[in-house]
Every structure is written in structure tokens, then in C-alpha cells.
């Protein structure tokens, strides 16, 4: 007789309305939203898991409180848009100025920024070119997903 792994404990997801949903495996906020209804699944753009901002495709593997973010949640949605826009800025700079080192680029209370390192400083003319490329990138309607890489993968990529 072979030993089998004991069944994992169910994962309980507590929602803001006080209800609790139970899952037998790790579940993403997107899956919970779809479980609640197709309208919410389409509207969900982010989540707060135990109070921390999360991507809707990041798996929850333990009991947690979950609040889904939609565009109706203006402050939270704006924070997500600023975060994503900072990444679009980095993409534009990398496309236009290959070899530019991307450093830190968070969203902040009144916008976002990115620090870059390159031998030649940016000019005011570069800003218009960068903005135009950002608009092009957004128009591509690229799918975005959070990825977790080990250190070696990240070093190889960046």
C-alpha cells in the first residue's frame, strides 16, 4: 500500500459582504470574481488580498480576505492605472533607447515616475517621442500578467 499525500485543507476566501467562499485548491481573484458572476469577472481589474494590492491572476493559496477592484473603485483603480502606466513608460524607453537601464518606477500619489540610467541625458524633445510611443504600446492592447522568476531567470532577462 502506497502512502498518499493528505488532502490539503480547503481555502476559505472571505469577501467584503461577510460571505465566505471555499475552494479545494489555490484560486485567483479572477476565478473568484467569475464564481460570483460574469459581470464581476469582466469588471475586475485588481484585488486586495489581506489588504495588499494583488494582480487578479496571482493565486491565493491560503485562507484570505479578498476585495475585488473595479473601475468603480476610483482611488484603487487609479493606483493600478498609474502602476501599469509606469511599466508602459519603461517599455517605451527600452524600445526607443535600447541599452537604457531601468531602475525604480513606482506609482505615487499624483502620478508615476521611473528612474533610468543612460549615458546621454533625455531631452525635452525625447519626452514627446516617449509619450507617443507609450500611446502606441497602449494601442497594441497587450495582455499583461504578473510573472515570478527566480534570480537566475531575472538576471538573464534583464
Amino acid at each position: 500500500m502506497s502512502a498518499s499525500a493528505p488532502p490539503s485543507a480547503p481555502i476559505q476566501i472571505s469577501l467584503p459582504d461577510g460571505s465566505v467562499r471555499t475552494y479545494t485548491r489555490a484560486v485567483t481573484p479572477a476565478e473568484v470574481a467569475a464564481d460570483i458572476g460574469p459581470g464581476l469577472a469582466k469588471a475586475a481589474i485588481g484585488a486586495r488580498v489581506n489588504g495588499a494590492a494583488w494582480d487578479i491572476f496571482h493565486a491565493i493559496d491560503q485562507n484570505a480576505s479578498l476585495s475585488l477592484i473595479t473601475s468603480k473603485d476610483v482611488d484603487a483603480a487609479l493606483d493600478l492605472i498609474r502602476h501599469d502606466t509606469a511599466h508602459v513608460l519603461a517599455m517605451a524607453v527600452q524600445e526607443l533607447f535600447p541599452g537604457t537601464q531601468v531602475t525604480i518606477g513606482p506609482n505615487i500619489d499624483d502620478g508615476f515616475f521611473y528612474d533610468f540610467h543612460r549615458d546621454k541625458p533625455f531631452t525635452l524633445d525625447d519626452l514627446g517621442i516617449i509619450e507617443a510611443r507609450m500611446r502606441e504600446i497602449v494601442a497594441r492592447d497587450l495582455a499583461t500578467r504578473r510573472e515570478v522568476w527566480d534570480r537566475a531567470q531575472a538576471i538573464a532577462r534583464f
Side-chain angles (χ1 to χ4, degrees), residues 9-20:
I11 297 171
Q12 299 202 331
I13 306 297
S14 302
L15 300 170
D17 67 0
S19 66
V20 176

Side-chain angles (χ1 to χ4, degrees), residues 47-54:
R48 291 214 175 273
V49 177
N50 296 329
W54 276 39

Side-chain angles (χ1 to χ4, degrees), residues 48-61:
R48 291 214 175 273
V49 177
N50 296 329
W54 276 39
D55 181 294
I56 61 172
F57 303 108
H58 184 165
I60 304 167
D61 60 3

Side-chain angles (χ1 to χ4, degrees), residues 113-132:
F113 74 92
Y114 238 113
D115 284 337
F116 298 101
H117 174 73
R118 61 190 294 247
D119 293 334
K120 181 181 173 190
F122 292 109
T123 67
L124 289 177
D125 291 335
D126 293 335
L127 296 180
I129 295 166
I130 293 168
E131 183 178 352

Side-chain angles (χ1 to χ4, degrees), residues 135-155:
R135 290 179 191 282
E136 290 173 18
I137 291 169
V138 170
R140 293 178 200 160
D141 198 23
L142 303 170
T144 58
R145 297 287 169 123
R146 176 182 186 268
E147 294 181 5
V148 178
W149 295 353
D150 65 32
R151 181 175 173 80
Q153 283 177 296
I155 289 171

